[in-house]
């Protein structure tokens, strides 16, 4: 029977036992000269033979060690599935289509991501999603039950499905995986390297939403930043490490711009059902043939269309449960086209759950948007939605101005989707169809995997440029420079600071917060 791991469980490793074969030396009884001559001859023969054997054995050992070192050395030199610069790159034709369960990868950008010539970064805010995790508690229970039922009821396993017979469900619930920790370390390194001119002398102000995996993600990010700074010989000493982190409670009723929960109509009213409805329509279309194939290869399991999604979920979750992010065998059960349909399924959930497909989706991101305005303009926060006024009025918990020009906030995929929407970053995306899959080209760059994968990051940059009378703002989401058409972005994706702030009228006016409590 398979059981999900709890927070206190860990993977248990049993050391490989080694045995030694000890050679026993034989002794001969010598009683007469003839026997002595024979014994000398035998000893001479054995010594010569032993020399040959030793040479042969030493040669064999040499060959073995050469092969071992060659294999071990090459395995260490093999490129990891995840890297600082490009993120996750193993089997990108499928792994970049796992929706919000894709590990972060560098997305294509039509606008160069480098800082424009004759410009200098003066401010850099990162808004990041936590690293890869185990399934949520409710999902891990469902996945474990499905695996157990397959083991109990499947009468046979089709070609390519045999691994499921011996598969043991060991995924936990809600925990940041080791792979996810490394993602966040890599993210901290990348941020430091991108903003090195500022980062070598200035420590970022760090906030995190209060859930354990988010706080741990922030801690790992600071470790990456710190490691990069220590290696930079031109940087200041990093005596401030470990950096302080302001963790904002996610308890019910808490004001928290990094975690939604206050808007009643959005949380439990009709609006809370819109995403499920959109996804259900698409599931009924794209999973039909997949479900039939699963049941043909797992006769007796009686997998439903909903459970087909669960089977697909097991691919990314088992992949990120691996320390190195090696692709799970579950992934090969589905075609590239089916993964594209799955990615679209997840995009529907985000768009109709937390973006403009939901009447109150964008409103959930208003609070953070107004905090960003305050940081960019060095003015007090002006907001009456989800901000915590006690924290935002204190320079210890919400510093603005002076040398505080680097910020790092850590949140969730749903909240980042709402924030992007409140800022109008994907206003060029038409309402997603729930009967036909659309590519990122057709959605103008919007998908769950392109916007909020595990360890997603958005950079909000302010820069001064030679010859310009005003500073510019630019936004980079997972290495893709957004065109910022809502504020008249130029060919480098830049808007003037004043134009950018003016374009955020939806947030500055409180969004539709008044509709939260009808």
């Amino acid at each position: 029977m398979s059981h999900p791991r709890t927070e206190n469980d860990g993977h248990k490793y049993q050391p490989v036992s080694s045995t030694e074969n000890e050679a026993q030396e034989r002794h001969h009884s010598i009683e007469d000269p003839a026997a002595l001559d024979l014994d000398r001859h035998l000893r001479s023969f054995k010594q010569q033979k032993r020399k040959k054997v030793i040479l042969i054995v030493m040669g064999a050992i040499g060959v073995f060690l050469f092969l071992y070192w060659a294999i071990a050395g090459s395995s260490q030199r093999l490129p990891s599935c995840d890297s600082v610069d490009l993120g996750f790159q193993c089997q990108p034709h499928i792994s970049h289509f796992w929706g919000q369960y894709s590990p972060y990868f560098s997305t294509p950008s039509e606008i160069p991501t480098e800082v424009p010539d004759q410009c200098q970064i003066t401010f850099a805010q990162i808004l990041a999603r936590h690293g890869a995790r185990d399934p949520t508690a409710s999902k891990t229970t469902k996945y474990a039950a499905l695996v157990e039922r397959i083991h109990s009821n499947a009468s046979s396993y089709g070609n390519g499905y045999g691994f499921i017979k011996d598969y043991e469900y060991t995924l936990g619930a809600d925990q940041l995986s080791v792979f996810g920790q490394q993602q966040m370390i890599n993210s901290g390194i990348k941020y430091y390297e991108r903003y090195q001119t500022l980062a070598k002398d200035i420590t970022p102000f760090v906030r995190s939403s209060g859930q354990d995996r988010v706080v741990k993600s922030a801690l790992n990010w600071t470790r990456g930043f710190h490691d990069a700074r220590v290696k930079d010989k031109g940087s200041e000493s990093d005596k401030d490490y470990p950096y302080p982190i302001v963790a904002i409670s996610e308890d019910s009723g808490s004001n928290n711009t990094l975690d939604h929960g206050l808007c009643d109509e959005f949380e439990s009213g009709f609006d809370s059902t819109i995403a499920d409805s959109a996804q259900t329509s698409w599931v009924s279309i794209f999973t039909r043939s997949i479900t039939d194939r699963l049941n043909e290869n797992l006769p007796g399991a009686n997998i439903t269309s909903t459970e087909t999604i669960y089977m697909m979920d097991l691919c990314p979750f088992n992949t990120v449960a691996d320390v190195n992010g090696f692709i799970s065998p579950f992934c090969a059960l589905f075609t590239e086209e089916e993964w594209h349909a799955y990615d679209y399924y997840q995009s529907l959930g985000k768009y109709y759950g937390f973006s403009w497909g939901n009447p109150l989706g964008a409103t959930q991101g208003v609070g953070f948007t107004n905090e960003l305005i305050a940081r960019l303009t060095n003015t007090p926060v002006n907001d009456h939605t989800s901000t915590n006024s006690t924290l935002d009025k204190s320079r210890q918990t919400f510093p603005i101005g002076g040398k505080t020009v680097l910020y790092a906030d850590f949140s969730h995929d749903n909240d980042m989707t709402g924030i992007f929407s409140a800022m109008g970053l994907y206003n060029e995306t038409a309402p997603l169809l729930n009967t036909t899959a659309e590519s990122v080209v057709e959605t103008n760059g919007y998908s769950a995997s392109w916007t909020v994968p595990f360890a997603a990051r958005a950079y909000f940059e302010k820069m001064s440029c030679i010859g310009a009378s005003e500073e510019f703002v630019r936004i980079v989401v997972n290495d893709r420079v957004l065109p910022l058409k809502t504020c008249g972005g130029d060919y480098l994706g830049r808007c003037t600071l004043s134009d950018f702030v003016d374009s955020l009228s939806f947030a500055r006016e409180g969004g539709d917060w008044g509709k939260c409590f009808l």
Side-chain angles (χ1 to χ4, degrees), residues 347-367:
S347 298
L348 285 170
K350 296 307 167 194
Y351 183 82
Y352 286 100
F354 297 88
S355 187
W356 286 109
N358 189 299
L360 289 172
T363 295
Q364 308 314 303
V366 163

Side-chain angles (χ1 to χ4, degrees), residues 184-190 192 219-229 241:
M184 300 311 296
I185 292 171
N186 289 349
S187 178
I189 294 171
K190 185 165 184 171
Y192 182 89
L219 286 168
N220 280 282
W221 185 90
T222 62
R223 175 184 161 189
F225 182 95
H226 165 72
D227 289 348
R229 178 186 269 180
Y241 186 79

Side-chain angles (χ1 to χ4, degrees), residues 66-82 90 324 326:
F66 173 80
L67 291 173
Y68 173 81
W69 287 328
I71 293 171
S74 65
S75 66
Q76 290 173 354
R77 290 191 297 270
L78 285 174
S80 170
C81 279
D82 194 61
C90 282
N324 297 305
F326 292 151

